[in-house]
Amino acid sequence: MICDTLEHLTLYQGFHKNLDTAITFLMACDLNALPLGRTEVDGDTVFINVMDAELHPNEGSHPEYHRIYADLQIDLTGSEHLGWASEGTEQGEFDEENDFGLRTGPEHCGMTLGGGRFAVFFPGELHRPGVEMPGCDRVRKAVVKIKMEDKY
């Protein structure tokens, strides 16, 4: 996991070629001008989902994870709590088609997104996005999906 400010985003170039593609696009793009939905950067290798999301209470939600894609998450308006965990118990079947699974487990680290910050969660890392903050129950966010692996 990486959590930093957008002004430092270029410091992470060179880690992975697809992350480099995402960073190059993000540095040249006005994220606030992107439409809701999917914007392709490099086909299925790098794309951005912009969404208006209702935030939810932390209680009763489960961390998610992916096997193929990293998530680079940026709140465009509003602010949300994100949780990270290193372990958890599988909740149901992993959705191979959508590269999405849920687990239960304790949060080991929490952070506030928004305010010019971003977070990257790599394949296998448990993360709990979309948790409400005091005074904020909705966000507009961009989730950059970055293909990191062909197989888990």
Side-chain angles (χ1 to χ4, degrees):
M1 173 194 59
I2 298 171
C3 183
D4 205 339
T5 60
L6 289 169
E7 69 185 70
H8 296 142
L9 186 59
T10 58
L11 295 175
Y12 301 97
Q13 288 180 310
F15 180 76
H16 190 280
K17 65 180 182 164
N18 296 339
L19 180 58
D20 290 352
T21 299
I23 291 169
T24 299
F25 182 86
L26 291 170
M27 297 311 295
C29 170
D30 176 3
L31 284 172
N32 293 305
L34 291 178
L36 290 173
R38 181 175 168 142
T39 297
E40 290 194 14
V41 176
D42 185 15
D44 285 337
T45 303
V46 179
F47 57 94
I48 302 172
N49 289 321
V50 176
M51 64 196 81
D52 285 328
E54 269 190 53
L55 302 178
H56 53 80
N58 195 26
E59 300 80 32
S61 66
H62 299 298
E64 65 183 58
Y65 70 100
H66 314 288
R67 292 180 176 165
I68 297 172
Y69 288 91
D71 279 0
L72 191 161
Q73 300 199 13
I74 304 167
D75 285 349
L76 304 175
T77 61
S79 184
E80 69 185 299
H81 175 84
L82 290 174
W84 175 86
S86 62
E87 59 195 5
T89 303
E90 202 70 37
Q91 286 293 302
E93 293 291 317
F94 186 84
D95 182 345
E96 298 286 344
E97 183 178 337
N98 292 304
D99 189 39
F100 181 85
L102 294 172
R103 293 190 176 156
T104 60
E107 183 176 293
H108 294 115
C109 177
M111 66 199 82
T112 301
L113 206 56
R117 292 179 291 278
F118 72 92
V120 179
F121 299 98
F122 293 98
E125 290 187 318
L126 298 175
H127 54 288
R128 185 186 333 249
V131 176
E132 64 192 5
M133 298 284 297
C136 189
D137 62 357
R138 296 189 61 74
V139 295
R140 176 166 284 205
K141 69 186 297 181
V143 178
V144 184
K145 302 295 285 186
I146 304 163
K147 190 172 187 181
M148 302 296 285
E149 303 283 341
D150 287 328
K151 299 224 183 240
Y152 183 71

